[in-house]
Each structure stands twice: as C-alpha cells, then as structure tokens.
Amino acid sequence: MFDSWQLRTVLKRWRAAVAFAAVAAALAALAGCWGELCLGRAEACLLQRNSGAAADWIERSLWLGRKADARTCLLQIRVARRLGDFEDVERKLQQAAQLGATPAKLARERLLAMAQASQFAAMQSQWPVLLRDPRDDGPEIARAYYTWSMLRHNLDQARKTLALWHADYPRDPEPLILTGRLFQSLLNWKAAEDAYREALALAPDDDDCRLALATAQLARLKTAEAIPLYQEYLRRRPDDLAGIQGLAQCAATNGEMDEAIRLLRETSDRNPDDFATQMAYGEVLLSAGDATAAVPILEKARRSVPEHANLANSLARALKACGRAAEAEPLFAFVAESRPQLDELLSLEKQLQLQPDSLELRMKIAGITAKYVSRRDAIRWYQHLLLVAPDYLPAHRALAELYRLTGDEVLADHHANCASGNPQTTKSSPDRYPGTSVTTTGPH
C-alpha cells in the first residue's frame, strides 16, 4: 500500500505527464497551423512569381519542429525550378516520392523540369500535356516552348509563342525582349527596335534591354536616339565593352572619327585580348585612313580568329593600302573563296526553316560557320543540333575537333568519347546547356 508521500509523488508525476502531453499537443497543433499558414503564403508568392519570398515562407513553415511533408517538397520543387536549380529539383523529387506525393504531381514537375532544362529529347513530344494545363507555370512553359521552336528553326511557331506569352502576361518584359532578339537575328531592325522599346518601358532598370535598344537604333543609323541610351548604360556599367564599342560606332557613323578612335584606343589598352574590340578599333582606324596603324591591330585580331572572312577582308585592304600587296593577296583569295560559301549559308538557313528536322542542313551550316565565320559560333550550332539529336555522331566528331582547335581538351575528349560510342560517356555534356539563351536563328 502506498503511503501518503508516495501517493502525492505519483499524482505529481501524473499531473506533470498530463501537462507535458497537453503542451506537446498544443505545440503540435500550433506547428500544424503555423505550417499551413506559411505554406499558404508560399503558394501565394509563387502565384505572384516571387520565388525568393516563397522560399522564405517554406523555410518558416519548418519552425516549431514541423517536419517536411509531400506538400512542402512539391513547393520546394516549384521554387527550385523557377530559380533554375535543377539538381535540387531532382533531389526534392526523390524526397517527395518517399513522402507520398502522388505520381501525377511528380510526373508534372519532372516534365516541367525537363522542359525548362531544355531536355527536349527526354520529353517525348509531351508538349500538349503542358500547353493544355499551364496553371501558374505559363511563362516557364512558354519560354521552354519558344526555345524548342528555335532549336527546330520553326520561326513562325516561335513568334506565335512569344505573342501569346505577351498577351497572357502583358507586364512581363521577357517575351518582348526575346521578340526583339528574334527580329534582330532576322535583321529586321525596325521590328526589333519596337519590341525593345516596349520592353524597356516595362523594365526601365534593365540595362541589357537598354543596350539592345541602342544597338537596334544604331543599326538603323538613329544615332541621336542611340547615344543617350549608350551613355546611360555606360554610367551604370562604365567598363562594358559592348557599350563602349556601340558608342564609338555612333561617333564613327556621325563622322566623329577622332572620338571613335579615342574610345576604342582606351578600351583596347585596357582589354588587349578582346577580339571584338581589336577588330572594331582596327576597322575604325582603316576607315579614318590610318591603314598603317590599323594593320598590327587587325593582325592581332586575326591571330585570335583566323577563320573570320570579314576580318580577313579588312586586313587585306589595310595591307594593300600600306603597299604590302603581296601579303594581302592570300587574304583576298581567302575572302573570294568565302563569298559563295557565305551566300550559301544564308540559303541553307532559309532551307532549315522549311526542313527543321534536317540534321544534314545543320551540319552544313555549322561547317561553313566554322570555316569562314567563327569556330565559337559553329560550336553553338553543333550544341543545338545535339539537343535535337543527342546521339548524332558526326556532330560529336566535329565538336571534338573544334574544341581541340580552341584549346579545350576536356570537352574535346568528352565529344571524342561520344563519337567513338564509349558506353561510359554521359549524354549530359557539360557544354550542352543553352537553356533560354537560344534566341536567334543561329550564331552570326
């Protein structure tokens, strides 16, 4: 029999246990309510396209000891997709599956991630699934569908995609910026200017859009409008080479050759290995009648990009003007050889619009580009081809050769292994990740 002291002790312990259980239950209930509140706020932030705030609310939902569940993981996946962190997407997909997320929800997130990561071959033509049910991922789906259309060289479909994207999200500047780039690649500078101007009105702090608008206006010889844009851009980014080159070109177009030369000379001194600066500086000197000063600068640029036919032409003209006709002769011969090939290049790109699935056309375009325009641009053509046909061996062989010429032995070995059919070679090459950067009909 318990004595009174023992009885009081047992009662105290029992009351303490009951109180602890009550507190624990209250805390669990509070954590549950708090978690629901935070996840609801995270979903609202995602609808408002504020991924950073959504991530913060998801993190807060785990306060008070609450454990992540399937809903939490699915929200984390959506945030990671919006931020382009596809490694985290893969990790969270596995975790969500373990926590009981439904197969349908997991399949949708995986399909969206493949679209956003430009893994189009793995999607197996499942675009209708996303296009019929975009939910709040409309911009991500539109961006991916535009990228896919451009990779297939279906320009009409790309334009329609951007138009629908803009109609659905009229305050989003991105479809307008991409529209400008599309028209710019087609040398339709008026349409490009209109798109960039409208985009800049929506995003007045977007310096890249400001630079693009200035470039379009310069192409249309509207230097009076372009100069203030370049100047504003350079106030924000004073050392940006593209901005300085554009401002110098405006000066040259206006006949202010001394100012153009000054800008490019100072930039060249600070960036002695930048190809675009060297080429622009040399050509401005040549236009100003100083062929003697232009020759060494153009020669240096050509050592960097010996395949550039237009640069070869400028150097040949400069050499001839200096009385060095014998040295200019092989360059003029190279330029003459390139002309029919470059004319064919334009024809091939038009054919590709009609036959977007032709790997042979893409290989021809890339081959001519590598020989007479730019090896770097040719590499991008081959990269885009491999997004359409990941196992196409001729493209891997061509990339292996180009990477060796450009000094990248790691990627050269990677593509050489792919070309040899090495079963250990991954299909996810480190150089094949253009994402939404595919914004032109091809590298020019």
Side-chain angles (χ1 to χ4, degrees):
M1 176 180 291
F2 290 116
D3 57 27
S4 59
W5 179 84
Q6 290 174 321
L7 181 58
R8 285 196 299 275
T9 300
V10 170
L11 288 174
K12 286 179 181 178
R13 290 175 178 173
W14 181 79
R15 291 192 191 103
V18 170
F20 179 80
V23 171
L27 286 174
L30 179 60
C33 292
W34 172 251
E36 287 295 315
L37 172 65
C38 291
L39 294 182
R41 291 299 302 154
E43 290 172 338
C45 289
L46 283 170
L47 285 172
Q48 296 166 2
R49 313 204 59 76
N50 190 339
S51 301
D56 291 339
W57 279 110
I58 294 171
E59 183 66 26
R60 294 186 188 110
S61 77
L62 301 177
W63 293 356
L64 303 177
R66 178 183 172 276
K67 302 295 183 183
D69 56 10
R71 180 187 177 193
T72 306
C73 276
L74 288 169
L75 286 172
Q76 290 172 326
I77 290 167
R78 291 171 63 190
V79 169
R81 273 198 302 99
R82 298 274 177 93
L83 297 176
D85 188 349
F86 297 108
E87 290 184 1
D88 193 40
V89 168
E90 185 59 35
R91 287 193 297 269
K92 294 300 182 183
L93 280 169
Q94 295 175 11
Q95 185 179 354
Q98 294 169 357
L99 292 171
T102 65
K105 290 181 178 178
L106 292 172
R108 176 180 171 81
E109 291 299 334
R110 191 174 295 280
L111 186 59
L112 282 164
M114 287 190 294
Q116 287 183 239
S118 298
Q119 296 178 4
F120 302 127
M123 291 182 61
Q124 298 180 348
S125 302
Q126 296 188 70
W127 285 113
V129 175
L130 297 179
L131 295 172
R132 284 196 300 264
D133 184 21
R135 303 179 198 176
D136 62 323
D137 290 302
E140 285 74 26
I141 295 170
R143 186 185 303 112
Y145 196 64
Y146 162 78
T147 301
W148 180 70
S149 300
M150 293 301 292
L151 286 170
R152 297 185 68 252
H153 227 71
N154 191 334
L155 304 187
D156 287 338
Q157 183 171 273
R159 280 193 290 263
K160 290 176 183 176
T161 300
L162 293 174
L164 290 171
W165 181 0
H166 176 54
D168 289 341
Y169 297 87
R171 302 302 303 169
D172 185 352
E174 187 175 6
L176 292 169
I177 293 172
L178 293 177
T179 298
R181 291 180 184 173
L182 173 56
F183 283 123
Q184 180 175 333
S185 73
L186 298 172
L187 302 182
N188 185 342
W189 289 106
K190 182 183 185 305
E193 179 188 357
D194 292 343
Y196 289 140
R197 183 183 289 106
E198 190 174 351
L200 189 61
L202 292 175
D205 294 328
D206 190 325
D207 286 330
D208 292 333
C209 185
R210 180 174 287 100
L211 177 63
L213 176 57
T215 301
Q217 290 173 337
L218 173 58
R220 302 190 68 205
L221 304 180
K222 299 169 70 173
T223 56
E225 296 179 45
I227 287 173
L229 290 172
Y230 279 123
Q231 290 172 335
E232 174 64 18
Y233 179 81
L234 289 169
R235 276 193 287 272
R236 298 167 182 260
R237 302 183 184 183
D239 298 322
D240 185 84
L241 298 180
I244 296 170
Q245 290 162 16
L247 190 59
Q249 186 60 53
C250 284
T253 300
N254 289 342
E256 301 168 1
M257 302 306 293
D258 289 343
E259 175 64 8
I261 291 171
R262 181 191 69 79
L263 286 167
L264 291 171
R265 180 179 62 247
E266 293 175 356
T267 305
S268 177
D269 290 343
R270 292 195 301 269
N271 304 275
D273 297 322
D274 182 71
F275 168 76
T277 299
Q278 296 299 314
M279 181 173 172
Y281 184 26
E283 290 184 337
V284 165
L285 286 169
L286 181 60
S287 297
D290 193 351
T292 301
V295 166
I297 296 167
L298 293 172
E299 285 179 328
K300 182 178 180 180
R302 190 163 192 271
R303 286 193 293 272
S304 175
V305 186
E307 66 275 15
H308 201 298
N310 289 338
L311 173 60
N313 186 52
S314 296
L315 177 55
R317 289 166 48 221
L319 288 168
K320 184 178 180 181
C322 292
R324 298 162 62 179
E327 296 175 66
E329 186 176 337
L331 292 172
F332 278 128
F334 173 69
V335 173
E337 172 191 308
S338 73
R339 290 310 179 213
Q341 297 292 320
L342 293 175
D343 289 342
E344 184 184 5
L345 187 61
L346 297 174
S347 175
L348 290 171
E349 289 193 28
K350 291 179 181 178
Q351 291 180 49
L352 188 58
Q353 295 182 38
L354 301 175
Q355 305 174 57
D357 296 324
S358 173
L359 301 181
E360 182 181 356
L361 282 174
R362 292 172 184 267
M363 289 294 293
K364 287 182 179 179
I365 291 170
I368 294 173
T369 300
K371 195 170 182 180
Y372 299 111
V373 182
S374 164
R375 292 168 183 166
R376 296 289 181 185
D377 287 350
I379 284 172
R380 285 193 287 273
W381 271 105
Y382 288 123
Q383 288 171 342
H384 296 167
L385 186 154
L386 289 174
L387 281 173
V388 177
D391 300 319
Y392 195 61
L393 300 185
H396 284 294
R397 284 194 289 270
L399 275 173
E401 180 181 352
L402 282 175
Y403 278 124
R404 296 218 188 279
L405 289 172
T406 56
D408 194 328
E409 294 297 329
V410 173
L411 286 174
D413 290 343
H414 169 81
H415 288 285
N417 287 334
C418 289
S420 67
N422 188 335
Q424 300 301 316
T425 300
T426 175
K427 292 182 181 179
S428 181
S429 168
D431 64 324
R432 279 175 34 222
Y433 194 74
T436 58
S437 66
V438 184
T439 55
T440 68
T441 58
H444 295 286

